[in-house]
C-alpha cells in the first residue's frame, strides 16, 4: 500500500492569504469546504449519539426491574424505535460521512469534494430530518413505535408520528445518496497524479464500495416507506392484508435494504481500522489486495442474504436453506479481514496509544459479534433466538464495539490533524478502558437473557431475568457517562484548544498523504497543487 | 512497472480467476499486481455479477439436492 511520495514539500500557506468566506454562524450555513462540512457531520452525529443515548438509558432504567416503573408500554415502544432510528440514521451513518468528508480529499490529494455545494446541501438536510423525526414525539399518538424496522401492519396503524418518521427517512436517504455521489465522483476523478486505484488507502476503498451500496439500497428503503405512506393515506394495500396486500412483502423489501445497510455501517469502520492498525504496528497492511477484494465480495454477497432476518415468517424450506448457506458464506471474507489485521500486527513493533487500543478492542469484540451472527445464521438455531435479547446482543457487538469503536479510533487517530492539538492520552486511555468494560457489562448478559428466552422490545419481563437486566442497566449508565469523557477530550482539542501542539506526523507509522504532505492542523485549503504520488 | 507500459488485454480465464478469488477475499500480491494493470473495471464488474449469479445458482442446486434427499 505504502505509496512512495515525491517530496517537493509545500508547507502551504494560503497563497494569496485571503479567505473570503463569511464568519460566525453564516460561515457554517454557507460553507462548501470539506473540512467544515466534515466537522459539522461529526458534531451532528455526536449530538444524535447523545440523544439516542438518553433514550437508551430510559429504556435501561425501565428494565432495571420487572414491572412498569418509569414509562408506559406505548412510550417504551417509541423509545426502542426512536433509539434505533436515531442511532442508525443519525449517529453512525453521518459520523462515517463526516470522516469521508474530512479524510477522502486529504488522503487522495484532492483540494475538496467534487460537488462542494451539493455537499453543503447533503449536510443541512440532516438537521431538518432530525427535527422532523424528533418532533414526532410531540404529535398525537407520539413517535413511531413499530421498531426501527417499521414493520407493517403496525406501521400502517399508527398516528401522524409515523408520517413524520417516514419523511425524515426520505430526507436522510436523499442526503445519503447525494453524499455517495459526491464521494464516488471525488474518488474516481480527483485523485492526485500517480494515485492509482490500487494505491488508494484502505479507508478510501471501503468508502468507495460503501457509497455504491448506499446508492443501490437507499432507493429501496425509499420505496418501502413510500408504499407504507400510500397504504396509510392513499388507499393502496401493498402491505395491508385486509386489502389483499402482504405484510411479509414489507419485510422482504426492508431487509433487501437492511442487510446491505448493516454493511454500510461496518465497511467504513473496517477502513478506519485498516489505517490505524498498520500505523501503530509500523508495518504495511498485510494483504492489501485481499482486503480490497474481500470488501467488494462482502458488498456483493450482502445482497443475497436478506431473509436471514425472516427465518420465522414461514418461508419455504428451500428458501430457509438458501439464505442460511449464503449467510454463512459471507463470514468467509469477513474472517479474511480479521486474519489480515492480525497478520499486520504479527511481529510489528506495536505501541498502544488510544487509537490502537480502540482498534485492537474492535478486533476482539467485533469478532465476537461476528460469531454470534454466525450462530443466528444457522436457521434452526435462529428459530429459537429470533426476537430475543440474543439478537440485541449480536447487533450491539457489531455496531457499538464495531462501528462506534472504529469511530472513536478514527477520531483519536485524526484529531491531531484536524485540530493541530494532541488529545489527552491519559484521558483517552481511560475512555477506552471504561468503554470496553462497561460495553461488555451492558451487552454480554444479553446473550444469556436471549438464550433463556427474554423477548426484545418489551417494557416488563418475568422475574427470573432480573439479575442480568440489572447488570446490563448498570453497565449502560456507565457506558453513557463514559461518553461525556469523550466529549470533554474532543472539546479540549477543538474548542478549548488545550494540549500539546501536534506535529505534522504524530504517528511515525502513518504514511498517507495527510500525514506526509500537510501540516497539523490541515490548512483550510489543502492540495491546491496536487502532490505527485509515485 | 508503469501503467502506460502494459495495456495488455486480460483473457477471460484471467478475469474469472480474479473474481473467483475476490469472492473468497484472498489474492496473491503478484497476481493482483497483474490484475490491477490488465483488468478493466467494466470487465471486473460484469464478471462479478456473473460470478454472483453463478453462486446463487449453485446454492439453489445445492438446496434442491438437500431437499430431494429429505423427502
Ligand atoms: C459475520 C457476519 C454476520 C452474520 C452471519 C450476521 C447474521 C445475522 C442474523 C442471522 C441476524 C438475524 C437475527 C434475528 O433477527 O433472528 C442478524 C441481525 C442483525 N445483524 Fe447481523 N450478522 C453479521 C454481521 C453483522 C454486522 C457487521 C452488522 C452491523 C454492523 C450486523 C447488524 C445486525 C443487525 C442490526 C441485526 C438486527 C436487525 C433487527 O432485527 O433489528 N450484523 N445478523
Ligand atoms: Cu442481515
Amino acid at each position: 500500500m505504502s505509496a512512495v511520495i515525491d517530496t517537493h514539500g509545500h508547507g502551504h500557506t494560503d497563497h494569496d492569504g485571503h479567505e473570503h468566506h463569511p464568519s460566525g454562524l453564516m460561515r457554517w450555513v454557507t460553507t462548501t469546504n470539506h473540512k467544515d462540512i466534515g466537522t459539522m457531520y461529526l458534531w451532528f452525529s455526536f449530538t444524535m449519539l447523545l440523544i439516542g443515548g438518553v433514550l437508551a438509558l430510559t429504556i435501561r432504567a425501565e428494565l432495571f426491574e420487572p414491572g412498569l416503573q418509569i414509562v408506559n408500554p406505548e412510550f417504551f415502544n417509541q423509545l426502542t424505535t426512536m433509539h434505533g432510528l436515531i442511532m442508525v440514521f443519525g449517529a453512525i451513518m453521518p459520523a462515517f460521512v463526516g470522516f469521508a468528508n474530512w479524510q477522502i480529499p486529504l488522503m487522495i490529494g484532492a483540494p475538496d469534494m467534487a460537488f462542494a455545494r451539493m455537499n453543503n446541501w447533503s449536510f443541512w438536510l440532516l438537521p431538518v430530518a432530525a427535527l422532523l423525526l424528533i418532533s414526532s414525539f410531540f404529535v398525537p399518538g407520539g413517535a413511531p413505535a413499530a421498531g426501527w424496522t417499521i414493520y407493517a401492519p403496525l406501521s400502517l396503524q399508527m398516528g401522524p408520528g409515523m408520517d413524520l418518521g417516514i419523511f425524515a427517512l426520505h430526507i436522510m436517504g436523499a442526503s445519503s445518496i447525494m453524499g455517495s455521489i459526491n464521494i464516488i465522483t471525488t474518488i474516481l476523478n480527483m485523485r492526485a497524479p500517480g494515485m492509482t486505484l490500487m494505491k488508494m488507502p484502505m479507508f478510501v476503498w471501503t468508502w468507495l464500495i460503501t457509497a455504491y451500496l448506499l446508492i443501490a439500497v437507499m432507493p429501496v428503503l425509499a420505496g418501502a416507506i413510500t408504499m407504507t405512506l400510500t397504504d396509510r393515506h392513499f388507499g393502496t394495500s401493498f402491505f395491508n392484508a385486509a386489502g389483499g396486500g402482504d405484510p411479509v412483502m414489507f419485510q422482504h423489501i426492508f431487509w433487501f435494504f437492511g442487510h446491505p445497510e448493516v454493511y454500510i455501517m461496518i465497511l467504513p469502520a473496517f477502513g478506519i481500522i485498516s489505517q490505524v492498525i498498520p500505523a501503530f504496528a509500523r508495518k504495511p497492511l498485510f494483504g492489501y489486495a485481499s482486503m480490497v477484494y474481500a470488501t467488494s465480495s462482502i458488498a456483493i454477497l450482502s445482497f443475497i442474504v436478506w431473509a436471514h432476518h425472516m427465518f420465522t415468517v414461514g418461508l419455504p424450506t428451500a428458501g430457509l436453506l438458501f439464505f442460511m448457506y449464503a449467510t454463512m458464506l459471507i463470514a468467509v471474507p469477513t474472517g479474511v479481514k480479521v486474519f489480515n489485521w492480525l497478520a499486520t500486527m504479527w511481529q510489528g513493533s506495536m505501541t498502544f496509544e488510544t487509537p490502537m487500543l480502540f482498534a485492537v478492542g474492535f478486533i476482539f469484540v467485533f469478532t465476537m459479534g461476528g460469531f454470534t451472527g454466525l450462530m443466528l445464521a444457522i436457521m434452526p438455531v435462529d428459530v429459537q433466538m429470533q426476537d430475543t435479547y440474543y439478537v440485541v446482543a449480536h447487533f450491539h457487538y457489531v455496531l457499538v464495539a464495531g462501528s462506534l469503536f472504529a469511530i472513536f479510533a478514527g477520531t483519536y487517530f485524526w484529531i491531531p490533524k484536524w485540530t493541530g492539538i494532541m488529545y489527552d492520552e491519559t484521558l483517552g486511555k481511560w475512555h477506552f478502558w471504561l468503554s470496553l468494560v462497561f460495553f461488555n457489562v451492558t451487552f454480554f448478559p444479553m446473550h444469556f437473557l436471549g438464550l433463556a428466552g427474554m423477548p426484545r422490545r418489551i417494557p416488563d419481563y418475568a422475574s427470573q431475568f432480573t439479575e442480568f437486566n440489572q447488570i446490563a442497566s448498570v453497565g449502560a449508565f456507565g457506558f453513557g457517562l463514559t461518553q461525556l469523557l469523550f466529549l470533554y477530550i474532543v472539546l479540549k482539542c477543538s474548542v478549548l484548544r488545550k494540549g500539546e501542539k501536534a506535529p505534522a506526523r504524530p504517528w511515525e507509522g502513518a504514511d498517507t498523504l495527510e500525514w506526509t504532505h500537510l501540516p497539523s492542523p490541515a490548512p483550510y485549503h489543502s492540495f491546491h497543487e496536487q502532490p505527485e504520488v509515485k | 512497472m508503469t501503467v502506460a507500459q502494459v495495456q495488455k488485454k486480460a483473457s477471460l480465464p484471467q478475469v474469472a480467476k480474479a473474481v473467483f478469488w475476490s469472492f473468497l477475499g484472498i489474492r496473491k500480491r503478484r497476481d493482483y499486481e497483474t490484475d490491477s494493470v490488465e483488468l478493466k473495471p467494466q470487465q471486473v464488474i460484469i464478471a462479478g455479477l456473473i460470478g454472483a449469479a453463478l453462486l446463487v445458482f449453485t446454492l439453489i442446486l445445492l438446496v434442491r439436492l438437500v431437499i430431494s434427499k429429505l423427502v
Side-chain angles (χ1 to χ4, degrees):
Chain A
M1 173 195 78
S2 65
V4 180
I5 284 143
D6 170 31
T7 41
H8 53 82
H10 24 174
H12 230 107
T13 43
D14 261 294
H15 29 121
D16 41 16
H18 64 178
E19 304 242 322
H20 41 80
H21 50 82
S23 55
L25 184 64
M26 282 317 276
R27 161 180 172 191
W28 300 100
V29 175
T30 60
T31 184
T32 55
N33 180 287
H34 72 103
K35 301 184 181 85
D36 282 353
I37 295 175
T39 304
M40 291 195 295
Y41 265 107
L42 290 170
W43 277 116
F44 171 79
S45 81
F46 190 74
T47 312
M48 296 306 272
L49 183 80
L50 292 185
I51 297 176
V54 168
L55 303 183
L57 292 184
T58 317
I59 293 172
R60 284 315 322 170
E62 174 58 51
L63 293 177
F64 188 74
E65 281 187 334
L68 297 176
Q69 290 88 29
I70 301 173
V71 294
N72 63 38
E74 289 75 23
F75 188 63
F76 186 90
N77 288 340
Q78 298 172 28
L79 288 176
T80 53
T81 304
M82 292 291 282
H83 165 71
L85 289 173
I86 288 178
M87 290 305 199
V88 167
F89 294 100
I92 302 286
M93 292 172 70
F96 285 130
V97 183
F99 277 94
N101 261 292
W102 256 102
Q103 287 309 126
I104 288 175
L106 295 188
M107 295 174 104
I108 64 173
D112 205 306
M113 296 293 280
F115 304 114
R117 282 162 196 260
M118 186 166 83
N119 205 13
N120 172 292
W121 181 228
S122 352
F123 171 75
W124 279 109
L125 284 178
L126 285 181
V128 177
L131 272 180
L132 269 182
L133 187 61
I134 293 169
S135 64
S136 67
F137 271 119
F138 306 103
V139 299
W148 79 279
T149 53
I150 49 172
Y151 275 7
L154 273 179
S155 59
L156 304 181
Q157 295 158 356
M158 278 167 194
M162 182 57 77
D163 301 315
L164 290 172
I166 288 174
F167 290 136
L169 285 182
H170 272 133
I171 297 174
M172 294 190 198
S175 159
S176 289
I177 290 174
M178 285 192 285
S180 305
I181 292 173
N182 219 335
I183 287 168
I184 292 174
T185 317
T186 308
I187 297 175
L188 293 186
N189 293 316
M190 295 176 65
R191 276 170 289 131
M195 169 85 61
T196 57
L197 284 177
M198 290 308 270
K199 277 187 188 158
M200 292 194 312
M202 201 57 214
F203 177 70
V204 181
W205 255 115
T206 53
W207 244 117
L208 180 63
I209 293 167
T210 304
Y212 277 111
L213 277 181
L214 273 167
I215 290 186
V217 300
M218 289 317 281
V220 178
L221 173 67
I225 57 181
T226 308
M227 287 153 92
T228 306
L229 191 73
T230 62
D231 271 11
R232 287 167 57 79
H233 296 294
F234 303 108
T236 57
S237 299
F238 293 113
F239 308 131
N240 182 357
D246 181 3
V248 174
M249 185 170 73
F250 178 85
Q251 299 190 22
H252 279 293
I253 304 175
F254 181 87
W255 287 114
F256 188 80
F257 147 81
H259 190 80
E261 165 71 15
V262 307
Y263 282 96
I264 287 166
M265 293 189 284
I266 202 67
L267 292 182
F270 288 172
I272 293 176
I273 300 302
S274 303
Q275 300 301 136
V276 171
I277 299 264
F280 293 90
R282 294 163 180 78
K283 273 175 67 192
L285 185 64
F286 181 90
Y288 166 81
S290 296
M291 290 296 243
V292 172
Y293 283 51
T295 312
S296 339
S297 153
I298 290 176
I300 294 174
L301 292 176
S302 72
F303 284 100
I304 59 165
V305 299
W306 75 89
H308 63 214
H309 297 274
M310 303 168 57
F311 282 149
T312 57
V313 299
L315 299 178
T317 314
L320 294 173
L321 290 177
F322 176 91
F323 286 106
M324 169 163 106
Y325 296 157
T327 305
M328 298 183 84
L329 282 179
I330 208 170
V332 175
T334 313
V336 167
K337 299 201 137 223
V338 172
F339 171 78
N340 280 349
W341 290 320
L342 294 180
T344 306
M345 292 193 282
W346 186 256
Q347 297 193 329
S349 47
M350 288 193 280
T351 51
F352 293 92
E353 286 88 349
T354 310
M356 183 64 161
L357 286 177
F358 271 106
V360 175
F362 170 99
I363 297 180
F364 270 111
V365 194
F366 170 81
T367 304
M368 287 182 53
F371 278 127
T372 54
L374 265 179
M375 293 177 63
L376 292 170
I378 303 169
M379 172 269 292
V381 176
D382 184 70
V383 170
Q384 314 294 314
M385 317 229 256
Q386 144 77 200
D387 265 335
T388 69
Y389 259 85
Y390 197 85
V391 179
V392 178
H394 160 64
F395 67 74
H396 284 92
Y397 267 77
V398 283
L399 282 172
V400 178
S403 311
L404 187 64
F405 274 24
I407 289 168
F408 290 150
T411 307
Y412 287 112
F413 188 52
W414 279 304
I415 208 166
K417 185 56 66 184
W418 296 342
T419 63
I421 291 176
M422 286 305 279
Y423 63 86
D424 188 324
E425 189 64 56
T426 316
L427 290 183
K429 291 209 162 87
W430 271 103
H431 176 221
F432 169 73
W433 286 109
L434 290 174
S435 293
L436 185 76
V437 169
F438 282 130
F439 168 79
N440 283 291
V441 172
T442 311
F443 294 105
F444 203 76
M446 293 187 187
H447 293 110
F448 304 130
L449 287 172
L451 288 171
M454 177 170 162
R456 64 191 282 202
R457 295 168 171 157
I458 50 160
D460 186 7
Y461 50 82
S463 58
Q464 73 266 30
F465 300 132
T466 310
E467 282 81 5
F468 281 136
N469 270 298
Q470 294 185 328
I471 298 174
S473 290
V474 170
F477 276 87
F479 190 83
L481 290 178
T482 302
Q483 302 326 310
L484 297 179
L485 181 59
F486 177 64
L487 175 64
Y488 173 69
I489 297 171
V490 171
L491 282 177
K492 208 173 146 196
C493 295
S494 60
V495 177
L496 306 177
R497 309 198 61 79
K498 275 201 239 138
E500 264 171 66
K501 239 187 94 37
R505 188 176 178 177
W507 322 118
E508 63 199 49
D511 59 1
T512 42
L513 293 179
E514 79 275 30
W515 306 113
T516 54
H517 275 57
L518 295 174
S520 298
Y524 195 66
H525 297 291
S526 41
F527 292 133
H528 263 313
E529 285 162 55
Q530 293 202 301
E532 188 92 29
V533 182
K534 287 215 194 102
Chain B
M1 165 174 38
T2 65
V3 187
Q5 165 196 337
V6 217
Q7 262 308 345
K8 234 172 52 191
K9 255 185 71 188
S11 63
L12 193 63
Q14 206 182 335
V15 184
K17 244 172 65 190
V19 168
F20 171 78
W21 284 111
S22 82
F23 273 57
L24 269 178
I26 311 176
R27 195 79 176 127
K28 266 196 243 136
R29 172 174 289 266
R30 196 169 353 98
D31 290 346
Y32 107 76
E33 275 166 1
T34 43
D35 283 359
S36 57
V37 183
E38 292 177 11
L39 303 192
K40 282 200 241 105
Q42 298 95 308
Q43 283 177 315
V44 179
I45 292 168
I46 292 173
L49 292 177
I50 296 175
L54 277 179
L55 177 70
V56 170
F57 190 69
T58 319
L59 283 179
I60 291 178
L61 280 183
L62 180 67
V63 166
R64 290 244 168 142
L65 191 80
V66 172
I67 292 185
S68 69
K69 292 266 167 63
L70 281 181
V71 223

